[in-house]
């Protein structure tokens, strides 16, 4: 494995990355209103902007918008104005692939942040890689995206243009299992997933670690994510003797599932991954969700000194939606692209070269900076070097962090 040198970020630049500025409302999708000449660099955003997962998708979009406006305000890259073009994938792989084709065909796009869903990413990676257009997801956690389908036996990186600022389910699932078994003292689990890339993969890594620790899987099942009637599986959970349920999937289904399990008479916690970590889960699950658990990437943004300016400036920016679970990771993903553009422009006498996309992708591999979520850098697979995770519990109608750390396997 060859050594990869880091781009040296000066103290002033590192500080500048976090010296954010108050910005306009989300309704202004373009961050380049002050362009007045120079080179326009578009950062694409692909996320679910409508539908059940739009709370997360809009937080991604808004946070990238804030990063672009911050770079413009600081005049971070001389002669370059950044703008944002967001496309709605509706959490559907086919829509994501179509969006990727459109981004590639727009020669002003030099990087893309997204998508939210691992299954959508699978449909986009080759399109971007063929065009040497860098893609950084703030939320994908499926290990195969960076390490290949046989990642448990042999890690192989298939797409050098794909990166992520979130850690993977190879860590998240086992981290949850350790908390459930060791801290929550639950020994008998019923495992459910939605059969999608993210949910099934997360449930599998949780299950493997839970069994390794000595826990017992007393039942498994799958649900149809297109329905909201989970009474049949809820009855199975009740009759299984499980003292905890692990669900691999997302909050639109997890909330009703939790509610129906409790209604069936199984007063046991539902545990899930970052896909359920959203206030909407609590709304859907109702008052019985108290004690339900979720893991999510990183530490709570609100608790990080590195994120204080981001939180304040996001609020001052007038965005209509919350930055949600992936706001900080989206900002950092956009900032990695912005720093890569800066490096490429500076190395080419102040302008973008004809092969700018390829050079920007190469530069992203080597970025290293202090971001909103902590130290931001990528390993040889394109994975985030920040492996921290947090367990959250529902208390008094809100998510509360109960434990942060890293998986010790």
């Amino acid at each position: 494995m060859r050594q990869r040198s880091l781009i040296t970020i000066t103290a002033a630049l590192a500080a500048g990355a976090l010296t954010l500025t108050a910005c306009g409302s989300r309704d202004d999708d373009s961050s380049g209103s002050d362009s007045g000449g120079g080179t326009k660099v578009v950062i694409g955003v692909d996320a679910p902007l409508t539908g059940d997962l739009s709370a997360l998708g809009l937080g991604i979009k808004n946070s990238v918008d804030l990063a672009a406006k911050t770079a413009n305000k600081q005049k971070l890259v001389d002669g370059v104005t950044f703008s944002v073009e967001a496309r709605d994938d509706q959490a559907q792989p086919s829509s994501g692939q179509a969006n990727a084709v459109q981004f590639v065909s727009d020669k002003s796009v030099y990087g893309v942040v997204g998508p939210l869903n691992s299954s959508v990413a699978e449909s986009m990676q080759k399109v971007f890689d063929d065009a040497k257009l860098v893609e950084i997801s703030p939320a994908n956690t499926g290990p195969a995206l960076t390490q290949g389908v046989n990642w448990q036996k042999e890690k192989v990186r298939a797409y050098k243009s794909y990166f992520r600022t979130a850690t993977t389910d190879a860590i998240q699932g086992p981290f949850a299992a350790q908390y459930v078994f060791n801290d929550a003292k639950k020994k008998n689990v019923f495992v459910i997933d939605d059969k999608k890339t993210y949910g099934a993969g997360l449930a599998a890594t949780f299950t493997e670690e839970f069994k390794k620790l000595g826990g017992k899987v007393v039942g498994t099942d799958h649900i149809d994510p297109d329905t909201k009637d989970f009474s049949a599986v809820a009855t199975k959970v009740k009759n299984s003797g499980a003292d905890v349920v692990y669900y691999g999937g997302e909050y639109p289904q997890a909330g009703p599932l939790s509610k129906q399990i409790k209604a069936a008479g199984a007063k046991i916690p539902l545990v899930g991954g970052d896909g359920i970590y959203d206030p909407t889960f609590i709304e859907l699950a109702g008052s019985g969700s108290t004690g339900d658990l979720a893991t999510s990437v990183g530490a709570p943004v609100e608790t990080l000194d590195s994120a204080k300016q981001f939180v304040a400036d996001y609020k001052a920016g007038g965005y209509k939606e919350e930055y949600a679970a992936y706001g900080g990771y989206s900002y950092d993903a956009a900032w990695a692209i912005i720093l890569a553009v800066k490096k490429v422009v500076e190395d080419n006498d102040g302008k973008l070269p004809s092969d700018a996309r390829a050079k920007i992708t190469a530069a992203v591999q080597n970025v290293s900076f202090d971001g909103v979520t902590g130290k931001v850098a990528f390993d040889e697979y394109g994975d985030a070097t920040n492996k921290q995770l947090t367990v959250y519990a529902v208390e008094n109608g809100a998510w509360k962090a109960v434990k942060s750390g890293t998986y010790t396997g």
Side-chain angles (χ1 to χ4, degrees):
M1 179 188 317
R2 71 181 180 87
Q3 294 292 321
R4 301 177 184 275
S5 61
L6 299 179
I7 296 176
T8 302
I9 308 298
T10 65
L13 177 56
L18 297 175
T19 308
L20 311 185
T21 56
C23 307
S25 72
R26 187 191 65 82
D27 292 334
D28 174 17
D29 281 6
S30 172
S31 310
S33 58
D34 60 343
S35 53
T39 301
K40 178 182 177 182
V41 169
V42 175
I43 299 175
V45 174
D46 178 89
L49 305 178
T50 59
D52 288 342
L53 295 173
S54 60
L56 298 175
L58 290 167
I60 291 171
K61 173 189 174 183
N62 295 345
S63 301
V64 175
D65 182 73
L66 179 59
K69 286 177 175 173
T70 300
N72 289 341
K73 184 73 172 180
Q74 293 179 5
K75 301 189 186 309
L76 189 69
V77 185
D78 190 37
V80 170
T81 299
F82 294 94
S83 65
V84 173
E85 180 182 330
R87 295 189 180 277
D88 183 7
D89 64 27
Q90 301 174 315
Q92 297 297 321
S94 58
S95 296
Q97 187 173 65
N99 290 346
V101 171
Q102 289 179 302
F103 282 132
V104 165
S105 67
D106 183 348
K107 298 305 180 186
S108 65
V109 176
Y110 289 95
V112 176
V113 175
L116 171 72
N117 305 84
S118 292
S119 56
V120 176
E122 287 177 331
S123 74
M124 303 174 79
Q125 286 181 300
K126 188 176 189 305
V127 178
F128 286 134
D129 204 61
D130 286 347
K132 297 181 172 57
L133 179 60
V134 70
E135 169 192 17
I136 308 180
S137 173
N140 293 162
T141 53
L145 294 169
T146 49
Q147 300 172 18
V149 293
N150 295 316
W151 61 271
Q152 289 173 303
K153 296 179 180 179
E154 182 184 14
K155 296 179 181 180
V156 178
R157 185 178 186 180
Y159 302 108
K160 292 187 177 180
S161 66
Y162 177 87
F163 300 82
R164 54 180 152 202
T165 50
T167 195
T168 79
D169 294 334
I171 297 170
Q172 183 175 198
F175 182 76
Q178 289 188 350
Y179 183 86
V180 170
F181 187 86
N182 295 326
D183 296 77
K185 307 298 183 185
K186 305 296 184 183
K187 310 302 180 186
N188 299 295
V189 66
F190 196 106
V191 179
I192 306 167
D193 70 64
D194 61 3
K195 296 188 285 189
K196 295 197 290 186
T197 301
Y198 164 74
L202 185 59
T205 59
F206 171 89
T207 299
E208 182 181 7
E209 180 71 12
F210 193 76
K211 289 164 69 175
K212 188 188 301 181
L213 292 168
K216 184 178 180 182
V217 178
V218 296
T220 62
D221 209 339
H222 309 284
I223 59 103
D224 178 357
D226 294 325
T227 186
K228 293 295 192 293
D229 181 5
F230 306 122
S231 55
V233 69
T235 300
K236 291 181 183 178
V237 171
K238 170 66 170 62
N239 294 334
S240 71
D243 55 9
V244 65
V245 171
Y246 190 83
Y247 175 66
E250 296 150 336
Y251 64 78
Q253 295 75 36
L257 178 62
S258 173
K259 189 172 188 176
Q260 291 172 45
I261 287 171
K262 271 77 165 179
K267 308 297 185 183
I268 59 177
L270 181 142
V271 184
D274 54 321
I276 79 167
Y277 175 57
D278 189 88
T280 311
F281 167 83
I282 302 171
E283 295 172 16
L284 295 171
S287 59
S289 63
T290 297
D292 284 351
L293 301 166
T295 52
S296 192
V297 295
V301 167
E302 297 79 6
T303 68
L304 298 173
D305 288 341
S306 59
K308 286 180 178 177
Q309 201 66 50
F310 166 77
V311 172
D313 287 341
Y314 190 98
K315 181 178 180 180
Y319 296 101
K320 293 184 178 72
E321 304 86 11
E322 298 295 326
Y323 51 79
Y326 304 107
Y329 296 90
S330 303
Y331 187 98
D332 286 345
W335 204 261
I337 293 170
I338 289 166
L339 290 183
V341 171
K342 179 179 175 65
K343 168 69 173 172
V344 170
V345 168
E346 289 179 347
D347 286 352
N348 194 55
D349 298 324
K351 59 185 183 296
L352 286 169
S354 59
D355 59 345
R357 283 181 171 177
K359 282 190 164 61
I360 289 167
T361 295
V364 166
Q365 179 66 64
N366 297 322
V367 296
S368 178
F369 63 98
D370 294 321
V372 171
T373 59
K375 189 73 172 181
V376 179
F378 304 103
D379 66 16
E380 65 268 33
Y381 303 103
D383 284 327
T385 56
N386 183 348
K387 308 294 186 185
Q388 190 170 37
L389 289 152
T390 299
V391 178
Y392 297 85
V394 179
E395 294 184 12
N396 300 317
W399 289 111
K400 179 183 178 182
V402 293
K403 185 175 184 176
S404 291
T406 56
Y407 167 60
T408 54

